[in-house]
Amino acid sequence: MAAQVTSVPGQPTTGARVEPILETRSVSRRFGGLVAVDQVSIVIPRGSISSVIGPNGAGKTTLFNMIAGIYRPSAGEIRFDGDVLSRASDMGRARYRRPDQIMEAGIARTFQNIRLFANMTALENVQVGMHSRMKAGAVGAMLRTAAVRREEADSRIRAIELLDYVGLGRHAESTAKNMSYGDQRRLEIARALASEPRLLLLDEPTAGMNPQETAGMTRFFDQMRQDLNLTVLLIEHDMKVVMGISDHVSVLDHGQKIAEGTPDEVRANEQVIEAYLGKDAEQTAAALASRQQQVDDGATEVTNS
């Protein structure tokens, strides 16, 4: 699939070509006879906030797991910043990187279900996220050399800075399992940022949050993008979040990409409407509007009487 010329808010658009930071090329993933992701090609522009949406079971998290190296593609190829992360044999010589190698390359992620070290402090959780950037070996760690002690001290300072950045500075010594749900979500993001990523994958980051927490988190995504020169790719079911913050949206249904484009383009796409509301989407919407009008008319009559 040819790279698309895409404009990103905050960057010049006249004659500008925004190079993709991530490309999936005809990527598929099969589990026995089940095709979870089927020939999906997407292009994520550098510096954008992009979203992957779709009904439950559409293949969104499976796609994320392939990007992060947890699953190997059954077919197709994934490229990050021009380099091959994963390649199935149908695209040439097969090549796969481990999840730790992909993190070291510059991709970090959070999970749909929070995966913190529950009995460790917030500070310790963030320090774990720095592992891929630390240089101490096993021998140095055992001997507690001066270099190792300096690196540990530096990691602690950096972890505190990240906790401050996500609004959790006062919780540095709190045990992760004792933190509120919203704070645990922010802690996961701080741990992901500790690996110094260029691409951040967020899997349903506002799930379970109340409207105030969701609004605050949405503003924070854009702040991260600008402050840290990040590209953000998220899976999200809250359409208000998706349409309010995304530069680019890709839509999956039954493992296949059915649409992509700006939020306005996706919102108006008939296939997207059908995927979310069913084949009789227009009739359903008309019926709901008619019923609401009847309710409104009835309320007016009662008021006038």
Side-chain angles (χ1 to χ4, degrees), residues 21-23 25 77-85 87:
I21 192 168
L22 180 76
E23 297 178 82
R25 300 179 176 180
E77 180 180 81
I78 300 172
R79 286 180 170 266
F80 175 65
D81 220 6
D83 295 328
V84 175
L85 289 183
R87 177 192 289 146

Side-chain angles (χ1 to χ4, degrees), residues 21 46 80-81 105-108 196-200 229-232:
I21 192 168
R46 188 184 308 276
F80 175 65
D81 220 6
I107 298 177
E196 301 175 10
R198 286 175 287 150
L199 173 64
L200 182 61
N229 195 27
L230 274 177
T231 303
V232 179

Side-chain angles (χ1 to χ4, degrees), residues 184-204:
Q184 287 183 6
R185 283 284 182 191
R186 285 180 175 267
L187 179 55
E188 261 210 324
I189 292 175
R191 185 178 62 183
L193 293 177
S195 68
E196 301 175 10
R198 286 175 287 150
L199 173 64
L200 182 61
L201 310 179
L202 302 175
D203 195 345
E204 297 193 30

Side-chain angles (χ1 to χ4, degrees), residues 11-40:
Q11 297 187 11
T13 56
T14 305
R17 178 184 177 86
V18 179
E19 293 296 333
I21 192 168
L22 180 76
E23 297 178 82
T24 71
R25 300 179 176 180
S26 302
V27 167
S28 299
R29 173 65 192 189
R30 294 183 290 273
F31 298 95
L34 173 67
V35 182
V37 174
D38 187 11
Q39 298 287 303
V40 170

Side-chain angles (χ1 to χ4, degrees), residues 28 64 88 94 103 131 152 178 183 186 219 258 264 300:
S28 299
F64 259 37
M103 175 178 281
H131 178 74
E152 286 184 357
N178 294 331
D183 285 347
R186 285 180 175 267
R219 290 191 296 270
I258 61 171
D264 287 341
T300 302

